Amino acid sequence: MNVLVYDGSGVAAASRDNTLRFLKALLSHRYDVQTVSPRSIKEEPWTDTCALLVFPGGRDLPYCHDLGQTGSRRIREWVHGGGRYLGICAGAYFASSKIEFEVGRPLEVTGERALCFFPGLCRGTVYPGFEYDSDAGARLVDLSLNRTAWRNFWPQTPATCVTSYNGGGAFLPSRDASASAWTSLASYSDLPDAPSAGVLCQFGSGRAVLWGVHPEHPVRYEDDPGRTAAAERTRSLLLHATLTALELEVGDPAAALPHLTPLFLTSDRLDGPRQIATALASRGQASGPNEVTLADRHDTFVLRPMEARDSHDAEMHFVQDGAQDPIAQLHALRKSIYVASERLPTSVETPLFDIPEFFDLLDPQADMGRVLVYGESVTSTQTLLDRNDGFLACLPDGTVCAASHQVAGRGRGGNAWISSAGCLQFSLVLRLPQAEAARIVFVQYLVGLAVVEAITAQPGLDKLGIRLKWPNDVYADFGDQAPGQRYRKIGGILINSSFRDGVFSLVAGCGVNVSNPRPTTSVNELLHGLRRAGVCERQQPFRCEEVLALIMNRLNEMWPKFRQHGFAPFIDDYLKHWIHQDQIVTLDETGQRVRIVGITPDHGLLRTVPVDSYPSEYGRDSLSSGPSYIDLQPDGNRFDILKGLISSRSS
């Protein structure tokens, strides 16, 4: 599920960035936190996968202009049907029935608003001195907290809380506002009649929290660090309680403090790490006894032998400055690589991934996975390979980089990949000569097929219900569920490529939820369902080491055939496992209804035929001849295939 932060004209960059920061700290264990444009709000199918929509501070009028009636109507209907909305300052003005801003002054803005989550007026500014794009009117304010309102969301609620303020409003309900439609969460304690500074609104089946203040901004007392620390602790609890009131699954920011652990360069053929280390050392510089530093395009690596591990036994890098972007800080840190040229790391050194077990399960003849780069907690396996040309150049074909946790996992189209505990995430190095460039588009299909077949080929697991969603997702299929609940995503594939000296270097990234039932479901949850139904004898759950070895073994069989014949030998198996055969969808731009019949053998496009011009018995045997086809590419269209809709992407 996604948490979407509005990012259009009028949004204040500081409010947006601080909002993204606290949302990622509290929600990234469960949700994909990302920005969303006004165009996406109006045109894209975001509503079914959105858990929370957030409008940060800035200017209310550009929100109204850019979203128009269409965007506002979609937001309103979504919240009324059960959605969740968080509005901060301008986002709160925007969500009230009516606003009055700086009445009688040069900055005056008044008028009715379309969302109407708060049944009344939001009036500001409540403190003087506000100027756009300035901190002239900014200040710290004491809020009185309504302990009764917070009792279900914030145990031991304090009486007061300090937050930042800059131009926000107070909430004044209309005379006919129902008492059940809104609840005051906090008030401006130093103003006459103590008007509400924050409200919780019930709107249909959904709810919204609106803040006239800026709880996303850090609180700082320059001359009093102790007071700053106390205020920041309370502010953090206020944000935690705000999200809890919106019924999200909120994590503990202290327990989820982003950190990095060392990488291990390993192989059960110990000469492999030695050769790679020698190649890497030739690109770097000596930086200490038995230590080489390689400053690559995106990351800086420090190579050490495994024997040096003892002197760095507690090595772990944490975010140092909470006021700066933690992910940017971690990307900037030097990444330690321990070269295992004498022995494999033990389970004590890598407790979340048994490296010897992985190599025991790997086919002795396999090249895929023969070299393993493993880190318990990394930024992103994809980034470590794809954005570091020197590091990648020294790794042989079939090298796999795996992690138990990623703090900045990458998905397709700029999306993040949520790195839940129990999720297998890896990136695989593959290379193709320039003459085979046309096959690159099919690599994502090949890897997806390998994932499904590696797991379901195990005895008794053919009914596991792991399927492929075009172009690059792995889904669980609950065939007996309602149409909207039948499919749940459990994995995805991302392919990045670079070209040098006549060779394409491909980094195939993959994430598969092996054992965590959240946020959707997992392979082991499906396995448990088969056992309960009495149709599977396997008792042991899958472990990430086993799943990775199974995928590598399957790819080791498929890759040579793919190199020789392309994807043609695999198309029938791919279509057998995907969820789209004979599915009817609507092209949003034209309203035309088409039937999905396969993928094109030349460019891997989604092949469809008009429903009215071809019978439903159309099969897979004539994908290169027949009626007038409508072929669609993943980068040229936006897909909501599970809802039966395909929207063309404008240039």
Side-chain angles (χ1 to χ4, degrees), residues 62 68 74 150 165 182 287 472 484:
R74 293 194 75 188
W150 287 112
Y165 171 89
W182 73 283
S287 52
N472 66 331

Side-chain angles (χ1 to χ4, degrees), residues 455-466 530 535 577:
I455 299 172
T456 59
Q458 301 302 296
L461 299 187
D462 56 317
K463 296 182 175 63
L464 202 57
I466 299 180
L530 288 187
V535 295
H577 289 292

Side-chain angles (χ1 to χ4, degrees), residues 521-542:
T521 189
S522 68
V523 174
N524 283 336
E525 194 77 0
L526 297 173
L527 178 62
H528 182 63
L530 288 187
R531 289 204 303 265
R532 283 185 302 181
V535 295
C536 176
E537 296 183 359
R538 179 181 171 120
Q539 297 300 313
Q540 294 298 319
F542 283 100

Side-chain angles (χ1 to χ4, degrees), residues 546-566:
E546 178 185 7
V547 174
L548 181 58
L550 290 171
I551 295 171
M552 292 299 103
N553 289 341
R554 183 70 188 106
L555 274 171
N556 197 66
E557 298 172 358
M558 301 168 76
W559 188 248
K561 184 184 292 187
F562 177 76
R563 289 289 310 277
Q564 185 174 1
H565 303 291

Side-chain angles (χ1 to χ4, degrees), residues 391-426:
F391 186 45
L392 178 61
C394 296
L395 299 176
D397 291 11
T399 297
V400 63
C401 181
S404 296
H405 181 69
Q406 296 182 126
V407 300
R410 291 163 56 193
R412 188 172 179 273
N415 295 326
W417 170 259
I418 301 172
S419 181
S420 304
C423 180
L424 168 66
Q425 41 255 324
F426 68 88

